[in-house]
Amino acid sequence: MKFKNLEILGFKSFSDKTTILIEKGLTGIVGPNGCGKSNIVEALRWCMGENSAKSMRGSGMEDVIFSGTSNLPSKNISEVTLLLDNQEKDSPIQYKEFDEITVRRKIEKDKGSKFYINDKEVRARDAQMFFADLST
């Protein structure tokens, strides 16, 4: 199973919807200090089930929601979607029939976060175990 793309909306420094394609081989993220490189990696980890706000460089999990700038208003929702290629059918057994699998995590202010696999709501533990089963 391979990562195909990462879609980020309202996560940390990403106010607008941003899609990062992950091509075959090595995909690098380059840019000047402060442009959000580490936020991309954190978005990936968060979508895969990271639960420690401290490891997300925040005091609470809601700190991952875009907090606004002088030009852009804050958001109430943060969402990260990871698209996985399952052409080789090496996913956990319940997802073997799918050629692509989406894992999405969404957090709303004062409501907590939810996980979805192929648009079906799952427990946080299910999403974490999905990636643990893949040894990612």
Side-chain angles (χ1 to χ4, degrees):
M1 184 169 304
K2 297 179 176 91
F3 295 166
K4 284 183 81 171
N5 73 35
L6 183 67
E7 197 173 274
I8 304 169
L9 174 64
F11 184 88
K12 292 201 167 202
S13 59
F14 293 91
S15 171
D16 298 325
K17 185 176 181 179
T18 304
T19 302
I20 297 154
L21 297 175
I22 304 169
E23 300 289 338
K24 287 184 178 181
L26 205 57
T27 299
I29 303 168
V30 295
N33 291 342
C35 72
K37 298 180 299 286
S38 59
N39 291 345
I40 294 169
V41 175
E42 287 180 1
L44 178 63
R45 289 181 38 232
W46 185 72
C47 185
M48 292 173 71
E50 178 63 58
N51 282 325
S52 168
K54 187 176 180 181
S55 71
M56 294 275 110
R57 297 180 296 147
S59 58
M61 200 47 79
E62 287 187 1
D63 288 347
V64 302
I65 300 172
F66 180 75
S67 60
T69 66
S70 58
N71 299 329
L72 297 169
S74 64
K75 302 272 186 180
N76 291 323
I77 296 173
S78 177
E79 189 171 314
V80 177
T81 305
L82 180 60
L83 178 63
L84 301 155
D85 182 348
N86 190 33
Q87 296 286 333
E88 297 175 10
K89 307 298 182 199
D90 51 0
S91 65
I93 191 120
Q94 66 267 41
Y95 302 104
K96 291 264 188 227
E97 74 224 41
F98 299 103
D99 289 336
E100 291 183 336
I101 299 170
T102 58
V103 179
R104 180 168 48 108
R105 186 172 183 181
K106 179 179 180 179
I107 188 169
E108 286 186 67
K109 284 187 179 173
D110 302 322
K111 292 188 180 177
S113 66
K114 294 181 180 180
F115 287 87
Y116 302 86
I117 298 178
N118 285 349
D119 294 322
K120 180 182 174 214
E121 188 173 343
V122 297
R123 300 173 307 166
R125 186 78 183 141
D126 296 330
Q128 293 165 343
M129 288 307 297
F130 175 84
F131 290 106
D133 288 346
L134 298 174
S135 299
T136 52

